Amino acid sequence: MALHITGEQAADELLSDDAFALLTGMLLDQQVTMESAFAGPEKIRSRIGSIDPETIAGYDPEAFVEVFKQTPAVHRFPGSMAGRVQALAAAIVEEWGGEASALWTKGEPSGAEVLKRLKALPGFGDQKAKIFLALLGKQCGLTAPGWREAAGAYGEEGAFRSVADIVDAESLTKVRATKQAAKAAAKASKA
């Protein structure tokens, strides 16, 4: 799998090669651009020398916030997001033996079970879990039965709703247009 989300080769290679980096990028994907969120794991790795869940979980929390604050920042909310990344890392270490991909591979789970496992993670609500499940199915080779159904609208073929649908600059533009249209519709319905 070769992901093309950030527009930065090193960041995209890390996302393609490291399940925890990909999971971390998804966690960071809120209130910043998708490219910035998914470039975050490479910034962390370049600053502390690792994206290993055990290393991150055991990192001094105050020092980890400083890692997030370095320019360019990992996230616009360094304190809260550094804490969330450490909580995610701790959950992967404690519940999945430090192997993020076990979430979607251990015991040959169905799509519904993978979704349940994702929603149990710190920082992963229903929507984020469904988007990540769709990303796994559409771009990372997940073949769990029922993953499309479990991912809901994000699992639909030919949809341009989320990071799961970004494979190049053109698809990124389509995803942005879909998101902008959804925001405009939501704003109009409130008026």
Side-chain angles (χ1 to χ4, degrees), residues 9-162:
Q9 184 177 349
D12 283 339
E13 285 176 2
L14 179 61
L15 296 171
S16 299
D17 297 339
D18 190 290
F20 183 70
L22 188 60
L23 201 59
T24 300
M26 188 74 235
L27 177 69
L28 293 171
D29 189 14
Q30 59 188 49
Q31 300 183 334
V32 295
T33 64
M34 288 178 283
E35 300 95 322
S36 176
F38 282 90
E42 174 57 24
K43 291 175 188 167
I44 294 168
R45 180 178 72 169
S46 69
R47 293 171 188 175
I48 70 169
S50 176
I51 192 69
D52 175 67
E54 198 166 332
T55 300
I56 290 172
Y59 212 83
D60 175 78
E62 289 179 20
F64 200 59
V65 170
E66 292 306 312
V67 167
F68 268 59
K69 288 180 178 179
Q70 290 176 27
T71 305
V74 173
H75 197 277
R76 67 187 278 196
F77 299 110
S80 62
M81 293 312 287
R84 287 185 184 180
V85 170
Q86 285 195 290
L88 177 63
I92 296 300
V93 170
E94 292 163 14
E95 298 164 32
W96 299 100
E99 186 51 54
S101 64
L103 280 159
W104 53 90
T105 60
K106 189 175 181 182
E108 298 181 24
S110 67
E113 177 61 24
V114 174
L115 180 64
K116 180 180 170 186
R117 291 174 180 184
L118 289 167
K119 286 169 62 172
L121 294 173
F124 276 73
D126 187 61
Q127 183 179 18
K128 191 175 290 282
K130 286 179 177 179
I131 292 170
F132 193 77
L133 178 59
L135 177 60
L136 292 173
K138 289 181 174 182
Q139 296 195 49
C140 302
L142 178 74
T143 59
W147 74 262
R148 282 191 189 276
E149 295 78 7
Y154 298 106
E156 293 174 5
E157 273 190 75
F160 292 96
R161 286 190 171 85
S162 72

Side-chain angles (χ1 to χ4, degrees), residues 140-180:
C140 302
L142 178 74
T143 59
W147 74 262
R148 282 191 189 276
E149 295 78 7
Y154 298 106
E156 293 174 5
E157 273 190 75
F160 292 96
R161 286 190 171 85
S162 72
V163 69
D165 304 303
I166 298 173
V167 294
D168 55 23
E170 182 183 347
S171 55
L172 172 61
T173 300
K174 289 179 181 180
V175 168
R176 284 206 191 293
T178 301
K179 286 183 168 217
Q180 287 170 346

